[in-house]
Amino acid sequence: MIFEIIIGVVVALVIYVILHHFFVIKPERDYQTINKNHVDAAVFKMIGEVQVQNPTITFSQFVSSTVLTDVWGRGVMVYEYKYQIQTELELLKLRFILEGSLAKQSQTINHTTHKLIITDCWLNNGLLTFDVADEQNDATEEYVDDIKKIDQK
């Protein structure tokens, strides 16, 4: 009897893991990929516009873009971008320029407007790294609110 209970629990766990993967994890990963492509397009357009409008900023090389769901949790639409950059501007002014340009890049996907904002930005040895949040759901809005609270301290 105990052996049958153990087998039943193991089978139930295996079924749960398989269903969870195919009905929760995989669809979210697929959606993140599609959404990331839209955000990538907006960021690349923003970088092009910033470079044209500000000759003191030179984006010499795109390094990477990454989904940060594993860091911030399921449902949070945040992406990290890295660029090699040459500029004499201080980080706050550079961030202000990037934020202003990105605000013009709002995306309309499936009849829904997505508000894109830079939540974090740092510069280290010519490598500009910044995070872009797509405020389209409650989880991302909570993340952005939490980041704003941290920045105020």
Side-chain angles (χ1 to χ4, degrees):
M1 178 77 161
I2 292 176
F3 181 70
E4 291 171 346
I5 292 173
I6 292 173
I7 295 292
V9 169
V10 169
V11 168
L13 286 173
V14 168
I15 290 171
Y16 170 78
V17 168
I18 290 170
L19 291 176
H20 183 72
H21 175 77
F22 284 107
F23 290 106
V24 177
I25 303 296
K26 187 174 180 336
E28 181 161 334
R29 224 181 264 148
D30 293 344
Y31 181 73
Q32 277 279 13
T33 301
I34 292 167
N35 194 60
K36 181 181 174 298
N37 292 336
H38 292 290
V39 176
D40 283 354
V43 168
F44 296 152
K45 186 175 178 186
M46 171 201 68
I47 294 297
E49 287 179 5
V50 166
Q51 201 158 346
V52 167
Q53 294 172 356
N54 299 286
T56 60
I57 304 170
T58 303
F59 293 90
S60 54
Q61 181 181 1
F62 169 72
V63 177
S64 68
S65 68
T66 309
V67 177
L68 296 179
T69 300
D70 294 339
V71 176
W72 297 112
R74 192 170 74 215
V76 177
M77 302 294 174
V78 179
Y79 310 94
E80 180 181 80
Y81 295 87
K82 293 183 181 183
Y83 281 89
Q84 287 292 332
I85 186 172
Q86 297 170 346
T87 185
E88 297 298 319
L89 295 175
E90 63 182 42
L91 181 61
L92 289 177
K93 182 155 177 79
L94 179 61
R95 181 176 178 163
F96 179 76
I97 291 168
L98 292 173
E99 286 174 343
S101 182
L102 187 62
K104 298 174 191 173
Q105 306 299 324
S106 67
Q107 294 285 305
T108 303
I109 305 166
N110 296 333
H111 307 292
T112 304
T113 301
H114 295 242
K115 181 181 172 190
L116 305 177
I117 62 170
I118 294 176
T119 58
D120 202 2
C121 184
W122 64 95
L123 186 59
N124 187 14
N125 295 327
L127 182 66
L128 175 69
T129 305
F130 58 95
D131 296 345
V132 176
D134 181 358
E135 278 192 300
Q136 62 172 290
N137 60 25
D138 292 338
T140 307
E141 288 177 13
E142 289 173 11
Y143 160 80
V144 170
D145 290 342
D146 290 345
I147 293 296
K148 286 179 183 176
K149 288 176 188 173
I150 290 171
D151 287 345
Q152 290 174 355
K153 291 183 179 181

